[in-house]
Structure formats: C-alpha cells, structure tokens
Amino acid sequence: MPPQEQKRRLSSRAVKIGMVSALSLTVAACGSKTTTAWCVDRMAPNVGKTKGGYRVVPDAFCDTRDIERGTISYGRYFWYYGGNRDSDGYVSGGSRVGPSKGKIKSSRGNTLSRGGFGGGGKSGG
C-alpha cells in the first residue's frame, strides 16, 4: 500500500482568527441602528400635553418612495423619523430628515429601507 498523504490541518490560531473576523462582520452588518419611521399628519391639531408633536396616521397615507429617495414630502402626510409616541397618538422628539445609515422600519414593524452594510439608509438618485 502506498503511504497515505496527511491531510493539512489548520492551526487553531488560524481558525480562531477566521471565525472572529466572520463574526465581527456579521455583528457590524446586523448591529446597525434601526430607526422607526412614523407616518404623520402635518395638519392634525396638536392638543394636549405633547408640544411640537405630529399625529400618527396609518402608513398607507405616506409614500415609501420618499424614504427610498431620501426626500421629504411637503404634502399633508410625511415620514417622521425616531421620536417617541405618546398615549394620545402623537410622536415628538424625532426628525423630518431620515437617518443616513441603518435600517428604517415603519411603526408597524415593516422594513422600509435596509440601509445596508457600509451604506446609507437611502437609495436611488
């Protein structure tokens, strides 16, 4: 019988470095910040305790293409990013301008923009 060739084995150090690199890339890609986009009514009267807030309305009133393009709608309904919603249905403490990086989800949990690894939250041009 001919002598069997020994299979090359990676050293445990090389395996650890490879695994740590792959894990860190995964964490960086998945660990990006998620921002909530609220569809709000610019014309709803703001009565009650929330000053400067906007009335949250169903997502169907807002155009998801505004998020994809990174534009701000100047119509009655627009996306409002971040902030906190109170028990009266108003959101405040956020911004009309979307984030430059990270995932954007609607208030119902639907992904509106993935952002992506090393990229911005907007696409198109």
Side-chain angles (χ1 to χ4, degrees):
M1 273 196 200
Q4 292 183 339
E5 290 183 31
Q6 288 185 342
K7 291 184 179 181
R8 186 170 176 221
R9 294 179 59 189
L10 294 175
S11 71
S12 61
R13 185 177 203 179
V15 171
K16 286 179 188 174
I17 290 172
M19 288 176 63
V20 168
S21 297
L23 180 61
S24 63
L25 284 174
T26 302
V27 169
C30 296
S32 61
K33 186 177 179 183
T34 299
T35 302
T36 300
W38 307 89
C39 182
V40 297
D41 184 350
R42 172 186 326 268
M43 306 299 185
N46 185 8
V47 290
K49 61 186 175 197
T50 307
K51 294 193 177 193
Y54 296 99
R55 181 73 154 148
V56 177
V57 296
D59 293 346
F61 287 99
C62 291
D63 190 347
T64 56
R65 292 176 295 185
D66 289 338
I67 292 173
E68 295 163 5
R69 294 181 193 134
T71 59
I72 301 171
S73 174
Y74 291 97
R76 180 171 181 170
Y77 304 103
F78 67 96
W79 294 106
Y80 187 75
Y81 303 94
N84 296 304
R85 183 177 179 172
D86 67 13
S87 60
D88 295 328
Y90 285 86
V91 64
S92 62
S95 173
R96 294 181 191 185
V97 179
S100 60
K101 293 184 179 180
K103 188 183 293 187
I104 300 173
K105 288 193 169 201
S106 73
S107 58
R108 302 199 77 179
N110 299 321
T111 299
L112 302 173
S113 174
R114 296 199 181 277
F117 178 69
K122 305 172 202 120
S123 65

